[in-house]
Amino acid sequence: MKAFFEVLEQLYRKVLLGAALENDSHDYIFYLNPAFSDQDCSTTTSSDCSNILDVQGKHQPSSVNLATPSVAPVCLQRHFQMSSTREIMLLQLTVIKVMITRILSVETELHAKEKYRDIIKILLKSSDFDSKLTCMFQNSDKLLSHMAAKCLALLLYFQLKEKITLSNSWISFCQKNLSEYSESDKVVYCLWMLTFVIKEIFKDTCSQKAEILKQFLAPFDTVFEVFYNSLFSQHFENHQDTSKLINSLICFLELLELLIASRIHLKLHFTCQRILFLKPSCVFDVITWPIQAFVKRKFIIFIKKCLLCKVGEDLCRGSVPTFMAPDHPLDVDLLALADAVLQAVDLGLLRTLSVYGKPSCFGGDEVQPGCECVPGPDHVILRAASLLIIRSLEIKFQNGASANEMKVDLQRFMSELLTFLKPHLQPSLQSHNLCEWLSRVFIEQDDDMLEAAKIAMGIYLKLTRECEATESLTQEKEMWNHHTHENGYNPHCIFLFLLKNIGFDSTVLLDFLISSETCFLEYFVRYLKLLQKDWDNFFTICKYFEITESKDNVNICCCISSLVQDRSSNQTEPSPLAVLGNHRDAHAWVSWASEASSEPLNHVVMSEEAQATLQANSLSPPRTSQRLVDYETSDDSEEESTDQRLANSRLTSLHQEAMKKIQDTVGTSRDKKELSLESQSRSLVPKESNTPFSVDCDIGPNNIASKVGISYRTVKCFEELQGAIYRLQKKNLFPYNPTALLKLLKHIETMYNRNTAKYMYTT
């Protein structure tokens, strides 16, 4: 037996290195094939197996050269045999696993690979080899069971790759155990092996993945549907040992995700791939079970990924196209799932979600005695539930709903969502701008945040087109504009909150544009196109942001307000319209802001002259922007510095002219008291600020002067982004052709300059 073990050990070392094997293939089969039948497997003891292996040792092939083992007492030999039986079987399985891995590897030499392939094919011709492995993974020894299952799964994948007919014994075994749900471990191992093989097919780089998967799924198409119905019809509360049911749910959920991923990416159309879309209510029933929170969380995330068509994305990375070809059958399936989501929300789905729970940490979820644990919401659940609802609404609206239906559904479901979110967001959402919910919920997850912003944009554009076709009166358009804010999906507000969260930092936008992990490029291009057509509304919203932010800074505002009152003591008190300008939607915004807050607006409103003066002062030349690339020579650095100065002077020249004109209008005859008051007011403004809203200016965000120019700061951010993209493109460092994007950014800058000039000459 010791000699048997040594041969296996030598074989393992050679295969691990990918070395060629000299002996005949059948000699190695003798050492790799377990020498007991499937009838004996379940009752075989260690001593029985050792006797069998001892017989093998007596009949070892003469062609295999081994050193003569030393003689030992019989009792010691028997003890060695009994203790080594398990190691022998594990080593056999390990050698087979490594050999198959070497066959599939492109790094293995051709001569060695052919020898390995020949050995495995001879091994598979053994009529009972698959049965032996199937029997072994039912063993009570967990490690032996796992190794047998993994070895069998690799052998199945090898058969598919080599176009060898799959073993009937294994297919029958899976069909039998999946025909109905049982608490046996056999079900879990069947699900695990099916999942493993499909993952290997996905990871394959060959062009025949669809054909390979089709061959693999064909025998199980019907049985999957039977198992789906049986599993989800279980009554959780009737199970004494719920751990096995939970284990089966998690395993099947992983398999279901791969089946749907193959439906989307490989364009196959088996019934088992569509079962979720055909019977979605079964999955939503699980969420209502009195089951552990992590199971509900997995199901919610799974449904979210299905609606976003992101299932299996980690396995397909690098090969998934950015824009997928139209797939009408898939659109029909997604609509069915979206309708099921909205129906479940109507029935109280959000109320069944466990938002609070133990914190998940690397060290475990148990809090040590004496340590305080501040309970907080599970933001993963909040994000998933939010995407679930808005994506379902988008899918429904894309399939022919009327404008009135869309408005009713949007108001109903967004109201439900915001009601669900508000208790879990601290500080709480302000009623005067509910669009902030998106940036608050998704602040920790960039890809989900940008996905949600893109979906909100799609809903807005769809509704806008429908409303423009049916509504012509100005009053109706104002009501529609108010509707977008009331339900938290106005794209301008969402984008401005995004910019505020990143501190108007163009380098963050550049990171988003370069990254392949988010949909920012698609979202950003669509927003810039909208901005070109909807500039007046954007500018009005910027003014509204300035008013609402000013309310949060009453101390500084009061100081500035008193200064303005001293300068214009003979004038009447300015109205809120003076701040919002002469845009067509200004009065609707002011009335809305007034209703949303009990504080009067006149405490924070300045005259146009004072506002413009503060804005001009805030637009001083910005600090040098952080460089995004290293320069090869000092000439490149000087060139950038010159370009940056020219860009800054070009963008601020109009503001300087505006400041000069306003100063001439107000007059230059200021007495010492006015100068003293102005000096005192400016001394209240910190020179530097570490808050995220302080970008490219020396005035902190808690000052009115830094907030009257939100539109300017937005365009300034775009200009810096434009310059950074241009520099990277010039050095061939940008990952794609940004010409169209640069044109959009340039056009926005031109529009801003034109509107600023128009405002200057009409003031």
Side-chain angles (χ1 to χ4, degrees), residues 544-561:
Y544 172 76
F545 267 68
E546 292 155 14
I547 291 178
T548 55
E549 289 177 1
S550 300
K551 286 177 174 292
D552 299 328
N553 302 278
V554 65
N555 292 332
I556 296 177
C557 293
C558 287
C559 180
I560 296 177
S561 179

Side-chain angles (χ1 to χ4, degrees), residues 357-368 373:
K358 293 182 179 180
S360 299
C361 307
F362 287 111
D365 58 4
E366 295 298 329
V367 180
Q368 297 298 321
C373 176

Side-chain angles (χ1 to χ4, degrees), residues 283-416:
V283 175
F284 289 106
D285 289 342
V286 175
I287 300 174
T288 64
W289 289 358
I291 201 168
Q292 283 87 334
F294 82 93
V295 179
K296 295 185 178 184
R297 180 199 236 203
K298 279 184 172 291
F299 273 82
I300 287 290
I301 293 173
F302 164 69
I303 299 170
K304 178 201 79 172
K305 291 166 71 175
C306 291
L307 287 171
L308 296 175
C309 295
K310 290 183 176 292
V311 282
E313 193 178 45
D314 52 339
L315 296 173
C316 301
R317 184 160 297 174
S319 60
V320 179
T322 305
F323 301 99
M324 298 194 332
D327 187 344
H328 179 68
L330 179 61
D331 293 339
V332 173
D333 288 345
L334 290 175
L335 178 59
L337 183 58
D339 286 338
V341 169
L342 297 177
Q343 183 179 0
V345 172
D346 258 343
L347 296 175
L349 174 69
L350 297 180
R351 292 189 292 274
T352 66
L353 298 180
S354 303
V355 179
Y356 288 99
K358 293 182 179 180
S360 299
C361 307
F362 287 111
D365 58 4
E366 295 298 329
V367 180
Q368 297 298 321
C371 298
E372 293 185 2
C373 176
V374 180
D378 185 348
H379 283 272
V380 175
I381 288 288
L382 298 183
R383 289 193 293 267
S386 301
L387 277 171
L388 214 63
I389 292 177
I390 62 174
R391 174 59 177 158
S392 297
L393 286 171
E394 182 188 31
I395 292 172
K396 183 176 181 179
F397 294 167
Q398 288 172 346
N399 286 271
S402 66
N404 288 333
E405 289 175 341
M406 286 189 282
K407 283 185 178 181
V408 171
D409 285 342
L410 191 63
Q411 187 163 7
R412 181 177 56 176
F413 289 107
M414 287 304 298
S415 175
E416 184 87 15

Side-chain angles (χ1 to χ4, degrees), residues 92-333:
Q92 285 178 315
L93 296 173
T94 302
V95 172
I96 295 172
K97 181 177 75 70
V98 174
M99 193 173 286
I100 298 173
T101 304
R102 276 293 177 185
I103 294 172
L104 300 174
S105 173
V106 296
E107 299 178 357
T108 309
E109 294 182 0
L110 183 61
H111 177 67
K113 185 181 292 189
E114 289 299 324
K115 188 72 171 182
Y116 300 160
R117 183 180 284 110
D118 187 47
I119 292 173
I120 296 299
K121 285 184 177 180
I122 295 173
L123 194 62
L124 286 171
K125 288 180 181 178
S126 171
S127 59
D128 60 346
F129 182 70
D130 291 334
S131 300
K132 291 175 184 178
L133 290 180
T134 303
C135 183
M136 288 173 71
F137 72 66
Q138 302 174 58
N139 196 288
S140 59
D141 187 322
K142 294 299 183 183
L143 180 57
L144 183 63
S145 176
H146 175 74
M147 284 298 299
K150 193 166 186 179
C151 186
L152 180 55
L154 274 171
L155 281 170
L156 291 169
Y157 180 61
F158 173 80
Q159 289 174 290
L160 292 169
K161 286 278 290 183
E162 297 293 324
K163 298 183 179 180
I164 301 174
T165 305
L166 295 177
S167 167
N168 288 328
S169 62
W170 180 80
I171 292 176
S172 300
F173 175 81
C174 285
Q175 288 176 337
K176 177 183 177 182
N177 286 283
L178 295 178
S179 60
E180 61 179 358
Y181 171 75
S182 68
E183 294 186 354
S184 170
D185 291 335
K186 297 177 184 179
V187 171
V188 175
Y189 275 113
C190 287
L191 296 173
W192 184 88
M193 281 190 291
L194 290 165
T195 301
F196 181 89
V197 174
I198 297 176
K199 279 185 178 180
E200 292 299 313
I201 295 173
F202 260 105
K203 290 188 288 187
D204 200 339
T205 56
C206 73
S207 59
Q208 300 178 341
K209 288 193 288 187
E211 290 299 320
I212 294 174
L213 186 60
K214 184 177 181 180
Q215 178 189 350
F216 183 65
L217 292 180
F220 305 105
D221 191 30
T222 305
V223 74
F224 277 146
E225 183 177 2
V226 174
F227 183 76
Y228 181 92
N229 295 330
S230 176
L231 177 64
F232 291 116
S233 63
Q234 298 297 310
H235 296 283
F236 183 79
E237 58 276 4
N238 295 340
H239 286 260
Q240 293 182 349
D241 184 8
T242 59
S243 61
K244 291 186 177 181
L245 177 58
I246 292 174
N247 202 14
S248 298
L249 283 170
I250 299 302
C251 289
F252 186 65
L253 192 64
E254 187 176 6
L255 176 60
L256 197 59
E257 180 175 347
L258 289 171
L259 291 173
I260 296 172
S262 64
R263 161 78 179 85
I264 295 172
H265 300 295
L266 299 183
K267 309 299 181 184
L268 296 179
H269 300 280
F270 284 103
T271 302
C272 62
Q273 296 171 298
R274 301 184 58 225
I275 188 65
L276 171 70
F277 305 107
L278 297 174
K279 301 179 179 180
S281 59
C282 297
V283 175
F284 289 106
D285 289 342
V286 175
I287 300 174
T288 64
W289 289 358
I291 201 168
Q292 283 87 334
F294 82 93
V295 179
K296 295 185 178 184
R297 180 199 236 203
K298 279 184 172 291
F299 273 82
I300 287 290
I301 293 173
F302 164 69
I303 299 170
K304 178 201 79 172
K305 291 166 71 175
C306 291
L307 287 171
L308 296 175
C309 295
K310 290 183 176 292
V311 282
E313 193 178 45
D314 52 339
L315 296 173
C316 301
R317 184 160 297 174
S319 60
V320 179
T322 305
F323 301 99
M324 298 194 332
D327 187 344
H328 179 68
L330 179 61
D331 293 339
V332 173
D333 288 345

